[in-house]
Amino acid sequence: MEKIFEAQSQFFQQVPDTVRQYRKWIWGLFIILVLAIAPGAGKFQLDLSDEFFFKEDDPVKLAFDRFREEFGGDESFYIVYRALDGDVFSKDSLTALRNLQEDLLNYRLELKAGEESPLDHIVDITSLINVSYLEASENALISRQFVGDRIPLTQEQTEHYRQQAMAHPDYPLLYVSKDSKYGGMIIRTDFKTRFKENHPELSDSNVLDELAPDEFDYAEFDVAEIEPSSINLSTENEKPKTFEPVEIEDYSHVNAAIRAIIDKPEYANVLEYYPVGTPPMNAYVWDNLIQQVNLVMLLTLFITLTMLWLLFRSFAAVVWPVVIITAASLVTVAVFGWLGLKMNMMINVTVLLILVVGVADSVHILSGYLYFRNLGKKHKQALNAAYEKSGVAVFLTSLTTAIGMLALLVVPLIPVQRFAMSAALGVMLAFLFTVFILPLMLDLWAPKIKTKKHKKEKQENGIHLIQVLLQKVEHFSHLKPDINIAVFSLIAVFFLFGITKIEVDSNFVNIFGEESIIKKSTTLVDEKMGGTQSLEIMIDMGSDGALTQPEVLNAMDQLQTYLETEVEHVIITRSLVNI
């Protein structure tokens, strides 16, 4: 093993002289590589959707695609509004709601022929104004809009609407809160429902084992013993269609178009809005979070530049590491752009990792170079000695980091796998640039060594503070090894106990600050309405007309009752049975 390390040290010692011989070729290849690949960064795409986590042939993805194919998209704006007069059934509140809904539906009246609008993504809007309401008389069953154009003019009419809404099995906690101070409007969109014209062929396999219709005994159906395998999500051997992806900017555009209407004074002075759902959440991410992440990246870079300056007091020692990490990050993102490999927000973790590892690589070499220069060695000799001393360390840290990242490829989630690939690529690029480009950079512009006057002052005033601290730590470690081992063992035990306190939180809303509109809206909707999270179950009975059979409807009714009474967090259920 010792001989291997010696051979590696000798290899890295020769690197500066070797690359110097071919500097024109290496500089040319480096510049061409960066310039040729860099445009791919403009093709890089973010994907924050849930389905991005799964492969195309994953059973979860196939089930979701089947659901979208049968029932359309599930991405909606759920806009909960508070009546400023305290009553969503008042004349002013219902008038504002009706006019607002008409404005959202009739937006094309203000557009030119053929002009497109973000609001074109709206498929349907439902609220107390137009939600279906069934009335039974002696001889007829009448289906009508709940309010429609019949805005209440008297307190008696207002109370009549309130009593009807509260008595309805589906309105409370969806269209109206229990205290009548809040209402809800559902704006369905066509996001993730548009088919690709040419979709790739996927697996013919079913999502779950098919349950043959003749094997289903309605009389013996027990909702308490439902097993996932007894519910079939895809019974036909047809190739599922694929859907057009939705760009995150589209959510922002639709959200802005809706806000432009609901923020009109005639509505905003009557109703206060709390939007929730995937579209407004993604719009908020695009409008705010991504900009904040970019700010964090800039601040991180600024801190890095500051620390490099404080450590080396040389612009060369600041500029070259930044050039290396920038080039490595740019090439990494560009490669993914050219390959059409999307990523989610973990791309920011990749860039931060490249920054940390890339700067560490450069600092190893620069500190060694300045150390040997201050010992009196010439530029080339100091550079060779620095690479001999630190080259193996830089190589091993980069290699082990890259291998550690690639180990994440075993995780069957696309964002994690893409992060593993991008992180490994970026780390190794930073290493290669440090080894083969940094020597040429230092040939052009190297940090200045201390002057004789400064050396004399240094001898008189003592060595650098950091060196003093490191020497004291080293001395104490050798002098009191037992104390060191005991202290760090106690610290290790303490933090091992902390591992048991880790809680997994998959609620995406919790990444937002308490003062953000998304967090406030989610909290309010969870408190006042039926919550912001829903579970959709698609049941395929395997035969046409099964949902017209009383046995099936009764079984669904039993299932809903079981979920509402026995399953925690289930507040209300809806199905064909409700209708």
Side-chain angles (χ1 to χ4, degrees):
M1 184 64 70
E2 184 178 349
K3 291 182 178 180
I4 294 176
F5 284 129
E6 288 180 359
Q8 291 176 340
S9 297
Q10 291 176 1
F11 168 79
F12 284 107
Q13 180 189 18
Q14 299 169 2
V15 165
D17 292 335
T18 303
V19 297
R20 197 174 287 117
Q21 294 177 14
Y22 305 97
R23 59 181 178 276
K24 291 183 180 179
W25 285 100
I26 294 176
W27 270 121
L29 288 174
F30 174 70
I31 294 172
I32 291 173
L33 171 71
V34 174
L35 293 180
I37 296 181
K43 300 178 180 292
F44 178 80
Q45 292 181 324
L46 282 174
D47 191 337
L48 302 181
S49 63
D50 294 333
E51 58 267 30
F52 176 59
F53 280 83
F54 305 101
K55 295 181 179 179
E56 289 295 329
D57 59 351
D58 190 287
V60 174
K61 177 71 162 54
L62 293 175
F64 181 57
D65 287 347
R66 176 71 187 279
F67 174 84
R68 289 191 289 176
E69 188 176 335
E70 295 289 345
F71 295 99
D74 65 343
E75 296 208 338
S76 303
F77 288 81
Y78 182 38
I79 301 180
V80 171
Y81 56 90
R82 180 176 70 89
L84 296 183
D85 62 5
D87 187 2
V88 296
F89 294 103
S90 68
K91 175 184 175 182
D92 291 341
S93 298
L94 288 176
T95 300
L97 180 64
R98 181 192 62 186
N99 294 340
L100 169 60
Q101 192 162 326
E102 289 179 353
D103 264 7
L104 289 170
L105 291 172
N106 299 324
Y107 68 93
R108 298 209 63 86
L109 296 177
E110 300 181 5
L111 301 179
K112 298 178 182 179
E115 183 179 354
E116 295 184 352
S117 167
L119 296 178
D120 293 339
H121 288 285
I122 293 179
V123 174
D124 179 58
I125 301 178
T126 309
S127 70
L128 287 172
I129 298 298
N130 66 330
V131 63
S132 178
Y133 187 80
L134 288 176
E135 283 184 317
S137 63
E138 293 182 0
N139 301 316
L141 184 64
I142 302 172
S143 176
R144 62 170 175 84
Q145 294 182 341
F146 181 60
V147 175
D149 293 326
R150 298 170 305 188
I151 302 297
L153 301 178
T154 65
Q155 186 62 31
E156 182 181 355
Q157 292 174 337
T158 296
E159 291 303 322
H160 178 68
Y161 275 129
R162 192 193 321 279
Q163 292 174 10
Q164 284 186 320
M166 293 305 177
H168 197 282
D170 297 333
Y171 292 0
L173 301 181
L174 180 63
Y175 299 110
V176 58
S177 63
K178 291 182 177 181
D179 58 8
S180 301
K181 294 180 179 180
Y182 297 86
M185 173 189 289
I186 303 173
I187 303 178
R188 292 182 56 235
T189 70
D190 65 355
F191 288 136
K192 301 179 184 177
T193 62
R194 297 181 178 182
F195 297 122
K196 287 184 178 178
E197 294 182 1
N198 298 315
H199 53 275
E201 295 185 356
L202 302 179
S203 171
D204 288 337
S205 62
N206 291 335
V207 177
L208 296 175
D209 293 335
E210 181 175 354
L211 179 67
D214 57 355
E215 296 176 358
F216 194 91
D217 189 347
Y218 300 109
E220 298 178 1
F221 184 77
D222 185 357
V223 295
E225 299 179 357
I226 296 175
E227 297 291 338
S229 60
S230 68
I231 300 178
N232 181 30
L233 300 180
S234 180
T235 60
E236 300 178 10
N237 292 327
E238 60 181 25
K239 296 179 176 63
K241 297 181 176 64
T242 54
F243 298 82
E244 289 286 350
V246 181
E247 304 297 334
I248 189 172
E249 306 97 295
D250 294 339
Y251 293 105
S252 178
H253 297 156
V254 176
N255 186 68
I258 292 176
R259 294 292 325 185
I261 294 178
I262 67 177
D263 285 341
K264 289 181 178 180
E266 57 266 36
Y267 309 136
N269 292 335
V270 181
L271 307 174
E272 185 177 62
Y273 308 101
Y274 301 90
V276 294
T278 299
M281 184 183 297
N282 285 343
Y284 184 84
V285 169
W286 178 256
D287 295 336
N288 298 278
L289 192 59
I290 290 181
Q291 282 73 9
Q292 293 176 10
V293 169
N294 292 336
L295 178 60
V296 170
M297 299 293 288
L298 290 174
L299 288 174
T300 303
L301 183 59
F302 173 76
I303 293 172
T304 302
L305 294 175
T306 303
M307 292 303 299
L308 287 172
W309 170 254
L310 293 175
L311 286 173
F312 296 108
R313 299 299 177 94
S314 168
F315 284 112
V318 173
V319 171
W320 294 136
V322 171
V323 171
I324 287 174
I325 59 177
T326 301
S329 301
L330 180 62
V331 171
T332 300
V333 174
V335 166
F336 273 63
W338 283 116
L339 295 177
L341 300 176
K342 297 180 180 180
M343 285 189 67
N344 59 8
M345 296 299 289
M346 293 188 77
I347 186 62
N348 298 293
V349 183
T350 296
V351 175
L352 286 174
L353 184 63
I354 295 173
L355 187 151
V356 171
V357 176
V359 168
D361 292 346
S362 299
V363 168
H364 271 86
I365 301 301
L366 288 169
S367 60
Y369 170 78
L370 288 173
Y371 174 79
F372 289 112
R373 286 288 277 155
N374 285 322
L375 289 180
K377 291 182 180 292
K378 301 279 186 186
H379 167 73
K380 293 182 179 180
Q381 293 176 329
L383 204 53
N384 291 343
Y387 273 86
E388 179 186 14
K389 180 178 182 293
S390 303
V392 175
V394 170
F395 169 68
L396 291 178
T397 53
S398 300
L399 181 63
T400 52
T401 301
I403 292 175
M405 292 297 103
L406 290 176
L408 294 174
L409 289 175
V410 300
V411 179
L413 297 176
I414 291 179
V416 177
Q417 293 178 346
R418 299 277 171 85
F419 167 69
M421 292 186 291
S422 64
L425 174 62
V427 166
M428 293 311 297
L429 283 173
F431 163 73
L432 292 174
F433 292 161
T434 299
V435 172
F436 297 108
I437 305 298
L438 184 57
L440 301 180
M441 293 175 170
L442 294 177
D443 281 351
L444 294 177
W445 184 23
K448 294 181 180 180
I449 61 173
K450 309 303 180 182
T451 63
K452 293 181 179 180
K453 179 181 179 181
H454 186 84
K455 287 182 179 179
K456 184 178 180 180
E457 292 176 352
K458 182 178 177 181
Q459 293 174 353
E460 294 175 353
N461 299 328
I463 60 177
H464 197 284
L465 176 61
I466 294 179
Q467 290 177 312
V468 173
L469 293 175
L470 291 176
Q471 288 178 0
K472 288 183 177 181
V473 170
E474 182 183 15
H475 176 70
F476 182 79
S477 298
H478 285 292
L479 189 63
K480 303 289 185 180
D482 296 339
I483 295 178
N484 274 305
I485 294 174
V487 170
F488 279 95
S489 296
L490 290 175
I491 294 175
V493 171
F494 174 76
F495 284 113
L496 284 174
F497 175 73
I499 293 177
T500 63
K501 301 297 182 180
I502 293 176
E503 295 182 5
V504 177
D505 188 355
S506 58
N507 189 350
F508 187 67
V509 175
N510 288 335
I511 72 171
F512 302 108
E514 294 294 332
E515 298 302 317
S516 67
I517 182 62
I518 290 295
K519 185 69 173 180
K520 288 182 177 179
S521 298
T522 301
T523 301
L524 182 136
V525 174
D526 287 341
E527 291 177 353
K528 299 295 183 180
M529 305 294 280
T532 57
Q533 302 296 319
S534 62
L535 172 66
E536 290 150 335
I537 302 176
M538 183 173 69
I539 303 176
D540 191 338
M541 302 307 301
S543 63
D544 293 339
L547 291 178
T548 64
Q549 301 299 317
E551 295 90 347
V552 175
L553 295 175
N554 284 325
M556 292 176 64
D557 184 38
Q558 294 173 44
L559 175 58
Q560 288 181 245
T561 301
Y562 170 78
L563 293 174
E564 291 177 357
T565 56
E566 302 296 332
V567 180
E568 187 179 5
H569 301 306
V570 175
I571 297 176
I572 190 170
T573 62
R574 296 177 180 84
S575 73
L576 182 64
V577 172
N578 298 62
I579 300 176

